[in-house]
Amino acid sequence: MGIRGARVLVVDDDVESLEALARLLRGRGAQVITVSSPGCALATVIGVVPDVMVVDIDMPGQDGIGLVRAIRSLSPEKGGQVPAITLSGCPPMGERLEAWRDAGFQGHLAKPLDAEALVELVDRLAGHAVERRRMALDRRQWPRDVSRDRRAEVRDEASATCAVETALQP
């Protein structure tokens, strides 16, 4: 249920790593978006709102921790609560571990990467988001007041269209 169909944003400045991660996740059924800079990643999160982010911590300029802090400052509708996984050559320790925790990451994997561990973590984190999206799209799952309001909107749009067509007839 989790990884299949999940939108996964992968952020890494190393092009080879980026392509390898994308192949791995696409092979498991994820929709993968790849970006190579933190600035592009922030814009992508706002525009797409992925289900999970996989972020390399060690990038030039703004690191992965700074990127996720910036994302966490966004509203939930803009992607502020997207689960994030970090990748790095060594596990975060000391001050870096505190910064990592404060930024709000949900998992960390050290390079060289264990592919199955990454897939399992993405699957677990994406499962909740994919299920929420499916429920949001399934009208049977909507609360009654939302369904009633949506039906009223459709009726209003239909009557406005009929009024315009009537006014345009000679």
Side-chain angles (χ1 to χ4, degrees), residues 9 11 17 25 35 48 53-54 69 73 109 135 144 149:
L9 174 63
V11 185
S17 294
L25 296 170
V35 295
V48 176
M53 295 182 297
V54 179
R69 279 192 182 130
S73 70
L109 296 170
M135 287 177 61
R144 288 183 182 265
D149 293 346

Side-chain angles (χ1 to χ4, degrees), residues 107-143:
H108 176 80
L109 296 170
K111 294 179 182 179
L113 202 56
D114 177 3
E116 289 307 312
L118 175 65
V119 168
E120 183 180 311
L121 192 52
V122 169
D123 185 59
R124 183 171 50 85
L125 293 174
H128 305 294
V130 171
E131 186 61 28
R132 280 194 308 272
R133 192 169 60 240
R134 283 189 187 131
M135 287 177 61
L137 294 174
D138 184 1
R139 292 181 181 186
R140 295 173 295 179
Q141 302 292 331
W142 291 0

Side-chain angles (χ1 to χ4, degrees), residues 69-88:
R69 279 192 182 130
I71 290 170
R72 294 292 180 249
S73 70
L74 300 171
S75 68
E77 299 82 31
K78 298 274 186 184
Q81 295 179 347
V82 173
I85 301 165
T86 56
L87 307 174
S88 70

Side-chain angles (χ1 to χ4, degrees), residues 10-25 32 34-35 54 56 87 111-113 118:
V10 180
V11 185
D12 197 331
D13 61 318
D14 179 23
V15 177
E16 290 177 14
S17 294
L18 201 59
E19 291 172 0
L21 290 168
R23 273 193 310 273
L24 171 68
L25 296 170
V32 181
T34 58
V35 295
V54 179
D56 182 22
L87 307 174
K111 294 179 182 179
L113 202 56
L118 175 65

